[in-house]
Structures are given as C-alpha cells and as structure tokens.
Amino acid sequence: MNNLLSEAYLAAERFLVFQGLTETPNSQEDLLAQEFQSRGLDDWFFKSTTQRIETVETKPVKNHGDYLGLFSLHQRLYQHPNPEARIKEAHTWLEQMSTNLDLFYLQEKAALINEMIFRKRMYKEVNYNLATELEKWQYAVDGLQHPALELYRMRFAYTDQELLPQFLALKAAFMERFDLLNEREQTTQLLSLLNEAKLLIKSGLLDITESLPLYQLGLSNGAILHQGKISANTYMTIVSASNTKGSFDFTNHFIDTYTDCLPPETRNDCIHWAKAHTAYWKKDLKVSLAVLQVYQFEELQFQLIGRVLSTQAHFDLYLSDSSYQFYLLNFLDAFEKWLHRDKIWAKSNTAAFLRFVQVCRILVRYHSEPEPNAQKLEKLLSNEDNIQALNWLRQKAKEAMALKKDGRPVTERPWS
C-alpha cells in the first residue's frame, strides 16, 4: 500500500508539472527550441526562436518575464555553434541582450527597494542600506525610458518636506501610465500608492476622498482582492471614501457586490457599520443612530469605530439643535469610561480615541461659551499626530466657528 501511495503521489506531482506546462505556451516554445538546437535542427531552431522574439517584441505591454525571455532567446542565438548568423547579427543581438537585461534587472531591483522602504517605514528596527541601494539603481537607470522606471524615479525622489504634492504628482502619473504597465507593476504601484494614502489621511494631509479612484481601480483589476476576498479594513475605507465624497450609488453597488467577499466573522459587523455610516453621510442622523443602537458589534475594532460614528451623529444633531447637548456630553463620558474600563485595548490603541473624545468636548465648550477664543480653536488640531477622525474634527471645528459667527443662540454652559 505504501508503494502504491508513493507512486500515486509522484504521478500527481508529475501531473501538476505537466498541467502547469500546458498552461504556459512560453515555456513550451522555449523547451521546443532547446530540443531543436540539441538535435542539430538549425533551420527549425532559428525559425522558431526568431518567431518567438517577434511575438514578444510586438506585445504592447511586456511583463518582467518577457524581458528576461528576450535576453535568453537572443543569448541562445548568439551562442549557437553555427557562426554564420552570429557574424551577421552579433552587434544587434548584443545590444538587445544588454537592454532587455537592464530592463529586467532595474524593475526587479526597484520593486525590492520599494519593499525595503515600506518595511523600514512600518518596522523602525529594520535596517537596510537604502542609500547605497538607491545610488546603484539611479546610476544604472540613467538614460533608460520606461513607464515603470519613470514612476519609480518619482517615488524614490520623495522628500519629507513635500509629501502631499509629491504623492498627488505620482498618483496623476500613475493614472496616466496605468495602461502602459504590466499587471504586476500595476498592482505594485497601486498598492504602494494606497499605503502612502493611508499615512497621509491619518496625518490629516490628505482627504480620504482622494483615495477612492485608487480603490476603484484596485477593485476593477483585482489588486485589492486576495483570492476573491476583501479585508474588513479595506471594505470600511472604501465605504468611508465613497460616502464622504457623496457617491452613494457607488457605495450601494459596492456593498451589494463585495459584502459576500468579506471574512464570515466580520461580515455582519461590516454591513451594519456600512449602513449606519451611509445613513450618517446622507444626513439621516437618527437612522444612523438607530442602526448603531440596535446592533451589538462583535469585533472589538467595530465596537470602537461604532462608538466614534455614534459620537459623530450625536455631534451633528447638537450643531443643528442645542437641546442635544446633554445627550452628546453623556455619550462622550460613557465612551471615555468604556475606553478606560476595557483592559483588552492597549494604551497605544486607545490614545487616538481618547484624544478624539477630548477634542469633541473642547468643540462643545467653544460652541457653548459666550465669547470663545477662535484663534485657540484654529490652532487646536494643527499639531495632532495621533487622533481618530482628524479630518472630520477639522470640518466640525470650521462649522462651529461659522455657526458662532452667524450668531446662533448660546446654550447653558455645562461646566458652569
């Protein structure tokens, strides 16, 4: 039985190899050319190899393997024992080998450097000699024109002083050159832009709506879907970006199409949060609160962001009707006590939410005081680097100042 099982296992392995070979015509043609050469069938070898080169070179967009394949094909022609063809075409073949090898190497090297930069940003203890790697790459890439290399040039030229303009320029260049990139580069460049967008949004430099076209592109080409699945964080970000932009038709389409792609354990939390978030941005504040009050979130992450969304709905109701002040302040107190009570969350995770609660109280105080300090409020959120819903808070600060200038009646001060 053991012998039979071993033979069956080996047969299955050989079948998988054969199956993969039948689905990759490039490998079949490469092996066929090698057989022609090894058997001395020169006419067939030269004919099949040159046809293969012409086919690859006429492709509108080449992938990384195409450049390496062209290098191998020209190398095989150049190293063929028959000197007649080499004497005639040697100069051209050598130039083409050099160019294709450079394009393959520089794209692969750029992808590695880009990954090193990302990991160093995420994990501070990681130590890569990026300066040396970048210097070697920039020296080798000098003079070469290629859509992917041009995008990497822009990415590697980033400076800390002008992050937002550089990101927007790179985003525009990527969208312009998208159809000129192969599938792998499309995914790599897109995911890199999305990672940078998240950091800029968190820091308050970028509005979340700027990321929506990138996510829509990622949905269309499958870059943000892993085996047909989508993560809860990506799902929430897309809903947030779409609703903030007011693209409710797209939000509804997205929810209907991709909710089933979520992991089963977060699906119910995601759909209820998405419904409440959509209702909030449609100004159906009471509907949003009704969804949040009826449904009990299971995941701790959703318990947090659900409370943030409830705070936002209470705050908007307060701005439109001062009688909601009591409910808002009580909810803020309950939110803060819950954050301190739940020991599951580390202080680093709750700091941003505690600061969110504190700033909401400050905005209420500003709105309720007879003669608040407007300049102090303008500077309130200028140096925040760890706070939840920073852009939303900035928007509410502007609304509170505008309402104050319009002479809205002042309610009783809750701290008097």
Side-chain angles (χ1 to χ4, degrees):
M1 285 299 296
N2 284 336
N3 290 338
L4 289 173
L5 290 174
S6 297
E7 291 176 6
Y9 181 81
L10 293 174
E13 284 186 334
R14 287 192 293 270
F15 171 76
L16 291 176
V17 173
F18 175 77
Q19 193 75 3
L21 185 61
T22 58
E23 295 176 359
T24 52
N26 293 351
S27 300
Q28 295 179 46
E29 294 173 3
D30 189 52
L31 290 172
L32 183 60
Q34 291 183 44
E35 287 298 315
F36 286 155
Q37 183 177 4
S38 65
R39 296 171 187 275
L41 302 172
D42 291 353
D43 291 342
W44 290 8
F45 165 75
F46 282 109
K47 181 179 179 180
S48 65
T49 304
T50 53
Q51 285 180 344
R52 179 61 191 150
I53 290 174
E54 290 173 1
T55 301
V56 177
E57 286 183 338
T58 55
K59 291 175 66 174
V61 179
K62 301 181 183 66
N63 59 43
H64 291 204
D66 288 334
Y67 294 110
L68 187 60
L70 285 171
F71 167 79
S72 298
L73 290 169
H74 284 109
Q75 185 183 52
R76 193 171 294 132
L77 289 172
Y78 182 78
Q79 294 178 347
H80 193 275
N82 187 342
E84 182 178 348
R86 182 168 63 250
I87 293 172
K88 182 179 179 181
E89 302 287 348
H91 178 71
T92 302
W93 290 345
L94 287 172
E95 284 187 339
Q96 290 173 332
M97 275 193 284
S98 178
T99 300
N100 287 310
L101 189 60
D102 283 344
L103 289 172
F104 173 78
Y105 163 78
L106 289 169
Q107 289 183 81
E108 293 287 351
K109 187 68 172 179
L112 285 175
I113 294 173
N114 188 51
E115 190 66 19
M116 290 178 183
I117 293 172
F118 173 72
R119 289 184 60 82
K120 190 170 184 178
R121 184 187 300 156
M122 296 296 295
Y123 311 104
K124 304 298 182 182
E125 69 277 5
V126 175
N127 186 23
Y128 298 116
N129 193 357
L130 285 173
T132 302
E133 297 292 337
L134 281 170
E135 185 179 358
K136 291 190 295 185
W137 185 86
Q138 289 167 347
Y139 178 80
V141 80
D142 185 41
L144 282 176
Q145 300 298 322
H146 188 276
L149 298 180
E150 291 167 10
L151 292 174
Y152 280 120
R153 279 194 188 98
M154 296 178 68
R155 181 176 299 284
F156 296 156
Y158 264 28
T159 59
D160 294 336
Q161 290 76 21
E162 299 290 338
L163 285 177
L164 182 58
Q166 290 171 141
F167 170 81
L168 294 175
L170 182 57
K171 175 189 169 187
F174 169 72
M175 301 298 280
E176 181 182 345
R177 294 170 173 80
F178 181 80
D179 292 332
L180 301 177
L181 302 173
N182 62 52
E183 185 176 345
R184 179 177 164 186
E185 282 299 335
Q186 288 175 351
T187 300
T188 300
Q189 297 285 348
L190 177 61
L191 295 180
S192 296
L193 282 169
L194 286 173
N195 288 329
E196 289 156 2
K198 291 176 184 176
L199 295 175
L200 291 170
I201 292 167
K202 185 178 180 180
S203 65
L205 294 175
L206 183 70
D207 190 87
I208 194 172
T209 57
E210 291 287 343
S211 66
L212 184 59
L214 295 174
Y215 279 108
Q216 290 172 325
L217 197 58
L219 290 171
S220 64
N221 75 343
I224 60 176
L225 297 170
H226 178 64
Q227 295 181 345
K229 301 297 182 182
I230 190 169
S231 69
N233 285 332
T234 301
Y235 183 93
M236 290 187 296
T237 304
I238 294 174
V239 171
S240 298
S242 181
N243 285 337
T244 306
K245 193 172 183 178
S247 304
F248 301 116
D249 289 340
F250 175 77
T251 301
N252 294 331
H253 165 75
F254 174 77
I255 292 173
D256 292 340
T257 306
Y258 293 98
T259 298
D260 290 339
C261 299
L262 286 162
E265 60 272 15
T266 61
R267 194 169 296 160
N268 286 334
D269 283 354
C270 279
I271 188 63
H272 283 88
W273 176 87
K275 289 179 179 178
H277 191 274
T278 304
Y280 170 79
W281 283 96
K282 284 184 173 180
K283 307 301 181 183
D284 296 331
L285 303 178
K286 294 183 179 180
V287 174
S288 177
L289 285 172
V291 174
L292 295 169
Q293 290 166 356
V294 171
Y295 180 76
Q296 296 296 321
F297 290 107
E298 297 179 7
E299 297 287 328
L300 289 171
Q301 176 189 12
F302 285 94
Q303 293 174 18
L304 266 175
I305 61 173
R307 282 171 168 81
V308 170
L309 185 55
S310 293
T311 304
Q312 293 172 325
H314 279 101
F315 197 95
D316 279 13
L317 286 170
Y318 163 66
L319 288 181
S320 61
D321 185 348
S322 300
S323 64
Y324 282 95
Q325 185 187 80
F326 174 79
Y327 299 100
L328 172 60
L329 292 175
N330 275 281
F331 186 84
L332 291 172
D333 289 340
F335 191 2
E336 184 174 12
K337 289 176 182 177
W338 179 79
L339 287 170
H340 286 301
R341 183 178 65 248
D342 199 328
K343 302 302 181 183
I344 296 176
W345 291 97
K347 288 185 178 180
S348 58
N349 290 333
T350 58
F353 295 91
L354 285 170
R355 185 57 183 155
F356 169 78
V357 172
Q358 293 169 359
V359 172
C360 285
R361 283 205 189 95
I362 293 171
L363 292 178
V364 175
R365 182 186 295 117
Y366 171 88
H367 194 60
S368 62
E369 288 181 345
E371 296 180 2
N373 189 335
Q375 292 182 347
K376 187 176 180 180
L377 184 63
E378 289 176 355
K379 297 178 181 178
L380 175 65
L381 297 167
S382 58
N383 296 318
E384 296 287 349
D385 58 357
N386 187 26
I387 188 170
Q388 184 71 14
L390 177 57
N391 286 332
W392 179 87
L393 287 170
R394 286 176 174 169
Q395 178 186 346
K396 296 305 153 183
K398 291 179 181 178
E399 290 182 19
M401 286 189 287
L403 289 170
K404 206 68 177 177
K405 290 179 181 178
D406 292 341
R408 172 174 162 167
V410 178
T411 60
E412 181 183 352
R413 293 175 62 185
W415 296 275
S416 59

